[in-house]
């Protein structure tokens, strides 16, 4: 994280006054937020509320990576965009919204797909990475990359009326698990439908993206109990949250004592990314 600057303009003091009033945040905490660099992978249903709340909170630099184009069906849940921007790149559109909300935030736009090369190039530039993707190959690439490149990953997912959330910081060692401790391999193609196939209640993405933003802020500020080693599950229809403990898998192919995944080569060369990690390093 960049060196903190405790000098605030009158405008900043006014804008962030409700943060500064908080005993667990204060001026020093707000300076931490201003010094932070956060990368959002995906500017859609999860990335939209995530981007808005991080920008409102005063995160100094927000990176947005997305190669997708805004479509009418996105607007039911992707609230960082509007009808006038249909056909535009989502990262570019979200950046415009962020700048209008908080011109003091620096936005870095990456209009590209997150592949192994992009992960190697971009992830080391940021302090915390946020997973707002909607497919398993990219999620597993991101989880592997954050572990190997030494970055904390705050991940959320939604489908239909349900959401889940966790933070992964396995690069710090035991007892923190990685994403593959929970799911060693992606599910077979077609087993789990996408939101475009099964649908999603728009407000569910808003709740999970906002929870994701909260965890990012907690990680930067160093307050509260984080979600590393825990998985939050939410059923919107039953209005129930539950949390389950995640343990480090001693046989994990990524963070175990004898890892088979030591780099991102499998993501770069595998013709079917869902098979990445099978026999890697063997």
């Amino acid at each position: 994280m960049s060196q903190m600057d405790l000098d605030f303009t009158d405008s900043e003091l006014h804008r962030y006054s409700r943060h500064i009033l908080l005993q667990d945040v204060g001026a020093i905490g707000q300076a931490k937020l201003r010094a932070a660099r956060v990368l959002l992978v995906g500017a859609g249903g999860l990335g939209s509320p995530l981007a808005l709340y991080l920008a409102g909170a005063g995160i100094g630099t927000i990176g947005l990576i997305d190669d997708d184009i805004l479509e009418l069906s996105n607007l039911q849940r992707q609230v960082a965009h509007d009808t006038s921007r249909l056909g535009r790149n989502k990262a570019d559109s979200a950046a415009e919204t962020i700048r209008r909300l908080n011109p003091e935030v620096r936005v870095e736009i990456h209009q590209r797909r997150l592949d192994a090369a992009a992960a190697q190039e971009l992830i080391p530039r940021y302090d915390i990475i946020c997973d707002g993707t909607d497919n398993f190959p990219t999620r597993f690439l991101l989880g592997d990359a954050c572990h190997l490149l030494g970055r904390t990953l705050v991940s959320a997912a939604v489908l239909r009326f349900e959401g889940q959330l966790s933070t992964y910081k396995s690069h710090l060692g035991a007892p923190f698990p990685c994403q593959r401790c929970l799911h060693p391999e992606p599910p077979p193609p077609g087993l789990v439908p996408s939101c475009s196939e099964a649908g999603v209640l728009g407000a569910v993405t808003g709740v999970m993206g906002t929870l994701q933003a909260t965890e990012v802020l907690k990680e930067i500020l160093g307050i509260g109990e984080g979600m590393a080693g825990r998985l939050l599950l939410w059923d919107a229809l039953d209005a129930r949250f539950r949390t389950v403990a995640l343990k480090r898998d001693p046989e994990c192919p990524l963070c175990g004592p004898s890892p088979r995944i030591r780099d991102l080569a499998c993501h770069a060369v595998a013709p079917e990314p869902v098979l990445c990690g099978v026999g890697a390093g063997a």
Side-chain angles (χ1 to χ4, degrees), residues 202-229:
V204 172
T205 64
V207 171
M208 298 311 300
T210 302
L211 287 171
Q212 199 173 7
T214 304
E215 292 306 312
V216 171
L217 298 178
K218 286 165 57 182
E219 288 291 330
I220 295 169
L221 295 169
I223 61 175
E225 183 178 358
M227 288 302 301

PDB file of all heavy atoms in Angstrom, residues 202-229:
ATOM      1  N   GLY A 202     -32.122  -9.377  -9.262  1.00  0.00           N
ATOM      2  CA  GLY A 202     -31.166  -8.280  -9.340  1.00  0.00           C
ATOM      3  C   GLY A 202     -30.670  -7.788  -8.000  1.00  0.00           C
ATOM      4  O   GLY A 202     -29.476  -7.519  -7.811  1.00  0.00           O
ATOM      5  N   ALA A 203     -31.587  -7.661  -7.025  1.00  0.00           N
ATOM      6  CA  ALA A 203     -31.198  -7.133  -5.723  1.00  0.00           C
ATOM      7  C   ALA A 203     -30.222  -8.042  -4.991  1.00  0.00           C
ATOM      8  O   ALA A 203     -29.473  -7.578  -4.125  1.00  0.00           O
ATOM      9  CB  ALA A 203     -32.438  -6.897  -4.859  1.00  0.00           C
ATOM     10  N   VAL A 204     -30.202  -9.334  -5.324  1.00  0.00           N
ATOM     11  CA  VAL A 204     -29.262 -10.255  -4.682  1.00  0.00           C
ATOM     12  C   VAL A 204     -27.823  -9.853  -5.012  1.00  0.00           C
ATOM     13  O   VAL A 204     -26.942  -9.893  -4.148  1.00  0.00           O
ATOM     14  CB  VAL A 204     -29.549 -11.710  -5.109  1.00  0.00           C
ATOM     15  CG1 VAL A 204     -28.462 -12.654  -4.609  1.00  0.00           C
ATOM     16  CG2 VAL A 204     -30.906 -12.162  -4.582  1.00  0.00           C
ATOM     17  N   THR A 205     -27.587  -9.446  -6.247  1.00  0.00           N
ATOM     18  CA  THR A 205     -26.231  -8.994  -6.605  1.00  0.00           C
ATOM     19  C   THR A 205     -25.875  -7.722  -5.851  1.00  0.00           C
ATOM     20  O   THR A 205     -24.718  -7.512  -5.496  1.00  0.00           O
ATOM     21  CB  THR A 205     -26.105  -8.755  -8.118  1.00  0.00           C
ATOM     22  OG1 THR A 205     -26.978  -7.689  -8.512  1.00  0.00           O
ATOM     23  CG2 THR A 205     -26.462 -10.002  -8.909  1.00  0.00           C
ATOM     24  N   GLY A 206     -26.888  -6.870  -5.601  1.00  0.00           N
ATOM     25  CA  GLY A 206     -26.624  -5.653  -4.844  1.00  0.00           C
ATOM     26  C   GLY A 206     -26.197  -5.939  -3.422  1.00  0.00           C
ATOM     27  O   GLY A 206     -25.254  -5.332  -2.896  1.00  0.00           O
ATOM     28  N   VAL A 207     -26.885  -6.884  -2.772  1.00  0.00           N
ATOM     29  CA  VAL A 207     -26.536  -7.251  -1.396  1.00  0.00           C
ATOM     30  C   VAL A 207     -25.132  -7.852  -1.342  1.00  0.00           C
ATOM     31  O   VAL A 207     -24.297  -7.458  -0.512  1.00  0.00           O
ATOM     32  CB  VAL A 207     -27.562  -8.238  -0.823  1.00  0.00           C
ATOM     33  CG1 VAL A 207     -27.086  -8.804   0.521  1.00  0.00           C
ATOM     34  CG2 VAL A 207     -28.914  -7.563  -0.653  1.00  0.00           C
ATOM     35  N   MET A 208     -24.840  -8.802  -2.232  1.00  0.00           N
ATOM     36  CA  MET A 208     -23.548  -9.481  -2.175  1.00  0.00           C
ATOM     37  C   MET A 208     -22.404  -8.544  -2.566  1.00  0.00           C
ATOM     38  O   MET A 208     -21.321  -8.607  -1.986  1.00  0.00           O
ATOM     39  CB  MET A 208     -23.560 -10.724  -3.061  1.00  0.00           C
ATOM     40  CG  MET A 208     -24.579 -11.784  -2.649  1.00  0.00           C
ATOM     41  SD  MET A 208     -24.551 -12.199  -0.877  1.00  0.00           S
ATOM     42  CE  MET A 208     -22.862 -12.795  -0.691  1.00  0.00           C
ATOM     43  N   GLY A 209     -22.640  -7.668  -3.548  1.00  0.00           N
ATOM     44  CA  GLY A 209     -21.603  -6.708  -3.918  1.00  0.00           C
ATOM     45  C   GLY A 209     -21.319  -5.723  -2.803  1.00  0.00           C
ATOM     46  O   GLY A 209     -20.174  -5.316  -2.578  1.00  0.00           O
ATOM     47  N   THR A 210     -22.364  -5.342  -2.067  1.00  0.00           N
ATOM     48  CA  THR A 210     -22.177  -4.433  -0.944  1.00  0.00           C
ATOM     49  C   THR A 210     -21.454  -5.114   0.204  1.00  0.00           C
ATOM     50  O   THR A 210     -20.580  -4.520   0.860  1.00  0.00           O
ATOM     51  CB  THR A 210     -23.539  -3.893  -0.465  1.00  0.00           C
ATOM     52  OG1 THR A 210     -24.194  -3.239  -1.561  1.00  0.00           O
ATOM     53  CG2 THR A 210     -23.373  -2.901   0.662  1.00  0.00           C
ATOM     54  N   LEU A 211     -21.791  -6.385   0.476  1.00  0.00           N
ATOM     55  CA  LEU A 211     -21.043  -7.141   1.477  1.00  0.00           C
ATOM     56  C   LEU A 211     -19.577  -7.280   1.074  1.00  0.00           C
ATOM     57  O   LEU A 211     -18.672  -7.188   1.916  1.00  0.00           O
ATOM     58  CB  LEU A 211     -21.671  -8.521   1.666  1.00  0.00           C
ATOM     59  CG  LEU A 211     -23.003  -8.571   2.409  1.00  0.00           C
ATOM     60  CD1 LEU A 211     -23.601  -9.975   2.330  1.00  0.00           C
ATOM     61  CD2 LEU A 211     -22.840  -8.138   3.864  1.00  0.00           C
ATOM     62  N   GLN A 212     -19.356  -7.491  -0.190  1.00  0.00           N
ATOM     63  CA  GLN A 212     -17.991  -7.604  -0.707  1.00  0.00           C
ATOM     64  C   GLN A 212     -17.227  -6.296  -0.466  1.00  0.00           C
ATOM     65  O   GLN A 212     -16.071  -6.314  -0.012  1.00  0.00           O
ATOM     66  CB  GLN A 212     -18.047  -7.923  -2.202  1.00  0.00           C
ATOM     67  CG  GLN A 212     -16.788  -8.504  -2.786  1.00  0.00           C
ATOM     68  CD  GLN A 212     -16.994  -8.935  -4.235  1.00  0.00           C
ATOM     69  OE1 GLN A 212     -18.037  -8.686  -4.838  1.00  0.00           O
ATOM     70  NE2 GLN A 212     -16.001  -9.576  -4.803  1.00  0.00           N
ATOM     71  N   ALA A 213     -17.855  -5.163  -0.744  1.00  0.00           N
ATOM     72  CA  ALA A 213     -17.226  -3.861  -0.505  1.00  0.00           C
ATOM     73  C   ALA A 213     -16.893  -3.690   0.979  1.00  0.00           C
ATOM     74  O   ALA A 213     -15.822  -3.175   1.338  1.00  0.00           O
ATOM     75  CB  ALA A 213     -18.144  -2.739  -0.979  1.00  0.00           C
ATOM     76  N   THR A 214     -17.808  -4.115   1.848  1.00  0.00           N
ATOM     77  CA  THR A 214     -17.573  -4.003   3.284  1.00  0.00           C
ATOM     78  C   THR A 214     -16.340  -4.788   3.703  1.00  0.00           C
ATOM     79  O   THR A 214     -15.514  -4.307   4.504  1.00  0.00           O
ATOM     80  CB  THR A 214     -18.799  -4.509   4.062  1.00  0.00           C
ATOM     81  OG1 THR A 214     -19.956  -3.789   3.650  1.00  0.00           O
ATOM     82  CG2 THR A 214     -18.605  -4.341   5.558  1.00  0.00           C
ATOM     83  N   GLU A 215     -16.183  -5.995   3.161  1.00  0.00           N
ATOM     84  CA  GLU A 215     -15.018  -6.813   3.509  1.00  0.00           C
ATOM     85  C   GLU A 215     -13.726  -6.192   2.988  1.00  0.00           C
ATOM     86  O   GLU A 215     -12.678  -6.272   3.649  1.00  0.00           O
ATOM     87  CB  GLU A 215     -15.191  -8.235   2.997  1.00  0.00           C
ATOM     88  CG  GLU A 215     -16.298  -9.013   3.694  1.00  0.00           C
ATOM     89  CD  GLU A 215     -16.156  -9.033   5.204  1.00  0.00           C
ATOM     90  OE1 GLU A 215     -15.033  -9.327   5.696  1.00  0.00           O
ATOM     91  OE2 GLU A 215     -17.147  -8.745   5.891  1.00  0.00           O
ATOM     92  N   VAL A 216     -13.776  -5.576   1.817  1.00  0.00           N
ATOM     93  CA  VAL A 216     -12.591  -4.897   1.291  1.00  0.00           C
ATOM     94  C   VAL A 216     -12.180  -3.763   2.228  1.00  0.00           C
ATOM     95  O   VAL A 216     -10.997  -3.607   2.578  1.00  0.00           O
ATOM     96  CB  VAL A 216     -12.854  -4.354  -0.126  1.00  0.00           C
ATOM     97  CG1 VAL A 216     -11.705  -3.456  -0.585  1.00  0.00           C
ATOM     98  CG2 VAL A 216     -13.048  -5.496  -1.109  1.00  0.00           C
ATOM     99  N   LEU A 217     -13.149  -2.961   2.651  1.00  0.00           N
ATOM    100  CA  LEU A 217     -12.849  -1.843   3.543  1.00  0.00           C
ATOM    101  C   LEU A 217     -12.290  -2.345   4.870  1.00  0.00           C
ATOM    102  O   LEU A 217     -11.336  -1.773   5.421  1.00  0.00           O
ATOM    103  CB  LEU A 217     -14.107  -1.004   3.777  1.00  0.00           C
ATOM    104  CG  LEU A 217     -14.705  -0.340   2.522  1.00  0.00           C
ATOM    105  CD1 LEU A 217     -15.976   0.415   2.875  1.00  0.00           C
ATOM    106  CD2 LEU A 217     -13.697   0.582   1.853  1.00  0.00           C
ATOM    107  N   LYS A 218     -12.857  -3.423   5.410  1.00  0.00           N
ATOM    108  CA  LYS A 218     -12.350  -3.994   6.655  1.00  0.00           C
ATOM    109  C   LYS A 218     -10.905  -4.473   6.506  1.00  0.00           C
ATOM    110  O   LYS A 218     -10.078  -4.291   7.405  1.00  0.00           O
ATOM    111  CB  LYS A 218     -13.243  -5.148   7.103  1.00  0.00           C
ATOM    112  CG  LYS A 218     -14.582  -4.724   7.684  1.00  0.00           C
ATOM    113  CD  LYS A 218     -15.556  -5.894   7.777  1.00  0.00           C
ATOM    114  CE  LYS A 218     -15.015  -7.052   8.589  1.00  0.00           C
ATOM    115  NZ  LYS A 218     -15.958  -8.198   8.630  1.00  0.00           N
ATOM    116  N   GLU A 219     -10.599  -5.094   5.358  1.00  0.00           N
ATOM    117  CA  GLU A 219      -9.236  -5.580   5.139  1.00  0.00           C
ATOM    118  C   GLU A 219      -8.251  -4.415   5.090  1.00  0.00           C
ATOM    119  O   GLU A 219      -7.154  -4.492   5.649  1.00  0.00           O
ATOM    120  CB  GLU A 219      -9.171  -6.379   3.832  1.00  0.00           C
ATOM    121  CG  GLU A 219      -9.844  -7.738   3.891  1.00  0.00           C
ATOM    122  CD  GLU A 219      -9.116  -8.728   4.771  1.00  0.00           C
ATOM    123  OE1 GLU A 219      -7.876  -8.631   4.897  1.00  0.00           O
ATOM    124  OE2 GLU A 219      -9.786  -9.604   5.352  1.00  0.00           O
ATOM    125  N   ILE A 220      -8.622  -3.345   4.426  1.00  0.00           N
ATOM    126  CA  ILE A 220      -7.731  -2.185   4.319  1.00  0.00           C
ATOM    127  C   ILE A 220      -7.549  -1.518   5.672  1.00  0.00           C
ATOM    128  O   ILE A 220      -6.434  -1.140   6.057  1.00  0.00           O
ATOM    129  CB  ILE A 220      -8.289  -1.182   3.294  1.00  0.00           C
ATOM    130  CG1 ILE A 220      -8.287  -1.797   1.898  1.00  0.00           C
ATOM    131  CG2 ILE A 220      -7.476   0.116   3.309  1.00  0.00           C
ATOM    132  CD1 ILE A 220      -9.053  -0.991   0.870  1.00  0.00           C
ATOM    133  N   LEU A 221      -8.639  -1.378   6.409  1.00  0.00           N
ATOM    134  CA  LEU A 221      -8.600  -0.695   7.697  1.00  0.00           C
ATOM    135  C   LEU A 221      -8.032  -1.573   8.816  1.00  0.00           C
ATOM    136  O   LEU A 221      -7.611  -1.056   9.850  1.00  0.00           O
ATOM    137  CB  LEU A 221     -10.004  -0.229   8.079  1.00  0.00           C
ATOM    138  CG  LEU A 221     -10.623   0.839   7.174  1.00  0.00           C
ATOM    139  CD1 LEU A 221     -12.102   1.013   7.488  1.00  0.00           C
ATOM    140  CD2 LEU A 221      -9.877   2.163   7.330  1.00  0.00           C
ATOM    141  N   GLY A 222      -8.062  -2.894   8.612  1.00  0.00           N
ATOM    142  CA  GLY A 222      -7.597  -3.803   9.647  1.00  0.00           C
ATOM    143  C   GLY A 222      -8.525  -3.843  10.851  1.00  0.00           C
ATOM    144  O   GLY A 222      -8.073  -3.920  11.991  1.00  0.00           O
ATOM    145  N   ILE A 223      -9.834  -3.821  10.590  1.00  0.00           N
ATOM    146  CA  ILE A 223     -10.809  -3.810  11.681  1.00  0.00           C
ATOM    147  C   ILE A 223     -11.749  -5.009  11.552  1.00  0.00           C
ATOM    148  O   ILE A 223     -11.922  -5.572  10.477  1.00  0.00           O
ATOM    149  CB  ILE A 223     -11.637  -2.509  11.702  1.00  0.00           C
ATOM    150  CG1 ILE A 223     -12.430  -2.337  10.397  1.00  0.00           C
ATOM    151  CG2 ILE A 223     -10.719  -1.306  11.941  1.00  0.00           C
ATOM    152  CD1 ILE A 223     -13.371  -1.146  10.388  1.00  0.00           C
ATOM    153  N   GLY A 224     -12.368  -5.367  12.668  1.00  0.00           N
ATOM    154  CA  GLY A 224     -13.366  -6.423  12.664  1.00  0.00           C
ATOM    155  C   GLY A 224     -12.775  -7.801  12.394  1.00  0.00           C
ATOM    156  O   GLY A 224     -11.558  -7.993  12.319  1.00  0.00           O
ATOM    157  N   GLU A 225     -13.663  -8.746  12.225  1.00  0.00           N
ATOM    158  CA  GLU A 225     -13.275 -10.121  11.903  1.00  0.00           C
ATOM    159  C   GLU A 225     -13.505 -10.349  10.419  1.00  0.00           C
ATOM    160  O   GLU A 225     -14.626 -10.227   9.932  1.00  0.00           O
ATOM    161  CB  GLU A 225     -14.104 -11.121  12.720  1.00  0.00           C
ATOM    162  CG  GLU A 225     -13.697 -12.569  12.490  1.00  0.00           C
ATOM    163  CD  GLU A 225     -14.486 -13.539  13.346  1.00  0.00           C
ATOM    164  OE1 GLU A 225     -15.326 -13.083  14.147  1.00  0.00           O
ATOM    165  OE2 GLU A 225     -14.271 -14.753  13.194  1.00  0.00           O
ATOM    166  N   GLY A 226     -12.448 -10.654   9.703  1.00  0.00           N
ATOM    167  CA  GLY A 226     -12.555 -10.848   8.264  1.00  0.00           C
ATOM    168  C   GLY A 226     -13.174 -12.190   7.913  1.00  0.00           C
ATOM    169  O   GLY A 226     -13.464 -13.020   8.770  1.00  0.00           O
ATOM    170  N   MET A 227     -13.342 -12.403   6.603  1.00  0.00           N
ATOM    171  CA  MET A 227     -13.978 -13.628   6.124  1.00  0.00           C
ATOM    172  C   MET A 227     -12.974 -14.690   5.698  1.00  0.00           C
ATOM    173  O   MET A 227     -13.366 -15.723   5.171  1.00  0.00           O
ATOM    174  CB  MET A 227     -14.901 -13.307   4.949  1.00  0.00           C
ATOM    175  CG  MET A 227     -16.185 -12.578   5.333  1.00  0.00           C
ATOM    176  SD  MET A 227     -17.193 -13.490   6.522  1.00  0.00           S
ATOM    177  CE  MET A 227     -17.500 -15.012   5.617  1.00  0.00           C
ATOM    178  N   ALA A 228     -11.691 -14.469   5.927  1.00  0.00           N
ATOM    179  CA  ALA A 228     -10.700 -15.498   5.601  1.00  0.00           C
ATOM    180  C   ALA A 228     -10.930 -16.713   6.490  1.00  0.00           C
ATOM    181  O   ALA A 228     -11.038 -16.593   7.712  1.00  0.00           O
ATOM    182  CB  ALA A 228      -9.290 -14.954   5.799  1.00  0.00           C
ATOM    183  N   GLY A 229     -11.049 -17.879   5.870  1.00  0.00           N
ATOM    184  CA  GLY A 229     -11.315 -19.097   6.622  1.00  0.00           C
ATOM    185  C   GLY A 229     -12.778 -19.307   6.934  1.00  0.00           C
ATOM    186  O   GLY A 229     -13.136 -20.231   7.671  1.00  0.00           O
TER     187      GLY A 229
END
